[in-house]
Amino acid sequence: MCTTCGCGSDEVVVTDPDHHHDHDHHQHEGHVHVHDDRSARTLVLEQAVLARNDLLAEANRSWFAEQRILAVNLMSSPGAGKTTLLERTITDLSAELPMAVVEGDQETLLDADRIRATGCRVVQINTGAGCHLDADMVARGLKVLEPRPGSILLIENVGNLVCPAMFDLGERAKVVIMSVTEGQDKPLKYPQMFRAAELMVLNKIDLLPYVRFDPEQCITYARQVNPKLEVVSVSATRGDGLDAWYDWLRDQR
């Protein structure tokens, strides 16, 4: 369950708006202290969920290290081109670099079917009402997927620029994919996502002649949020800039 937005079906954050105590308002030495029990309970549950996830993520990370697997968490808003980038990457690099894919979506096997058509091993995780993958979901997926030692595991997270940034999966690196069909101010509106990422892939640059989008301004905004952020600009369909993306993957290994 994602306590940051209330999604998910396994657990529910229950807050009682009619729950009041006589001690909700205390006055000491001229200062009034207001206790918000609802916020406190929600915060404690958030911390517990994230702490449990972090423990599971560390177990994943240790297993990846033992197996010499490079795990990369790909995150974006819906429609930014994650799956197309994966298809092209697998097609171009699979002879050089063994790969496997974890696909995360709320419903359907559509993206997994696209990846399977490339000949790559893939497992689909459907989160239902959930808006992100978590470390436990990935661990369960790995038991089915059984990625080869020394391979690259590409995890396509659920399309969402908020919650996936908060949940460690045990990956080596987080990558945020953004397309030029989105607003160039996305890094300012969703700073946690861009702050958490090591790399921003600016996709669909083949569409720049047809949209109002300033790539340099977008990159400036992204580096205001995260000065260490690396950036590559690509067209996953046409092939522009993909060598830089592939070199980044090779360097991570």
Side-chain angles (χ1 to χ4, degrees):
M1 191 276 299
C2 175
T3 59
T4 60
C5 65
C7 76
S9 57
D10 292 334
E11 300 177 77
V12 177
V13 179
V14 179
T15 59
D16 183 359
D18 297 321
H19 180 69
H20 298 290
H21 294 293
D22 291 339
H23 63 268
D24 278 355
H25 298 269
H26 300 301
Q27 186 167 351
H28 304 287
E29 299 180 357
H31 299 285
V32 176
H33 301 281
V34 179
H35 302 291
D36 187 341
D37 289 344
R38 291 169 294 169
S39 296
R41 286 196 300 268
T42 301
L43 178 59
V44 167
L45 183 54
E46 278 191 24
Q47 292 173 335
V49 169
L50 290 172
R52 177 178 180 275
N53 182 80
D54 286 346
L55 287 174
L56 296 171
E58 283 304 316
N60 288 347
R61 186 170 288 108
S62 295
W63 187 82
F64 290 141
E66 291 169 2
Q67 300 296 314
R68 298 175 291 106
I69 291 172
L70 167 63
V72 179
N73 184 0
L74 303 176
M75 306 175 293
S76 79
S77 58
K82 296 189 299 297
T83 309
T84 301
L85 181 65
L86 283 178
E87 289 175 310
R88 185 65 182 258
T89 301
I90 294 163
T91 299
D92 290 351
L93 292 186
S94 59
E96 172 190 348
L97 303 173
M99 297 183 190
V101 173
V102 172
E103 278 290 345
D105 278 305
Q106 289 189 322
E107 298 290 347
T108 83
L109 301 176
L110 294 173
D111 285 353
D113 289 342
R114 289 172 60 181
I115 298 301
R116 189 174 293 109
T118 68
C120 184
R121 291 182 58 80
V122 59
V123 63
Q124 177 76 54
I125 298 175
N126 291 132
T127 62
C131 61
H132 60 85
L133 296 176
D134 64 27
D136 181 57
M137 294 176 192
V138 170
R140 285 183 281 165
L142 291 172
K143 292 179 181 178
V144 176
L145 186 61
E146 297 181 338
R148 290 172 49 187
S151 63
I152 296 177
L153 178 68
L154 298 170
I155 304 169
E156 180 177 347
N157 218 314
V158 179
N160 180 352
L161 282 178
V162 183
C163 298
M166 299 184 65
F167 282 79
D168 186 4
L169 306 180
E171 71 275 5
R172 171 84 62 79
K174 290 181 170 68
V175 174
V176 58
I177 300 169
M178 180 176 170
S179 75
V180 303
T181 55
E182 303 174 66
Q184 64 199 33
D185 55 0
K186 277 286 178 69
L188 299 181
K189 292 181 177 179
Y190 301 91
Q192 182 63 31
M193 174 62 71
F194 292 84
R195 193 174 294 124
E198 283 80 13
L199 176 72
M200 178 175 81
V201 177
L202 185 58
N203 192 24
K204 305 188 183 181
I205 59 172
D206 53 304
L207 298 181
L208 281 172
Y210 312 105
V211 296
R212 294 181 60 185
F213 185 93
D214 184 342
E216 293 304 319
Q217 185 62 69
C218 178
I219 293 169
T220 297
Y221 287 151
R223 285 183 170 149
Q224 284 179 17
V225 172
N226 182 356
K228 297 181 179 180
L229 186 67
E230 297 182 67
V231 179
V232 296
S233 298
V234 308
S235 167
T237 55
R238 200 169 63 184
D240 308 41
L242 288 177
D243 284 344
W245 159 239
Y246 299 159
D247 286 344
W248 184 88
L249 280 175
R250 294 183 183 103
D251 289 346
Q252 296 303 304
R253 294 188 84 216

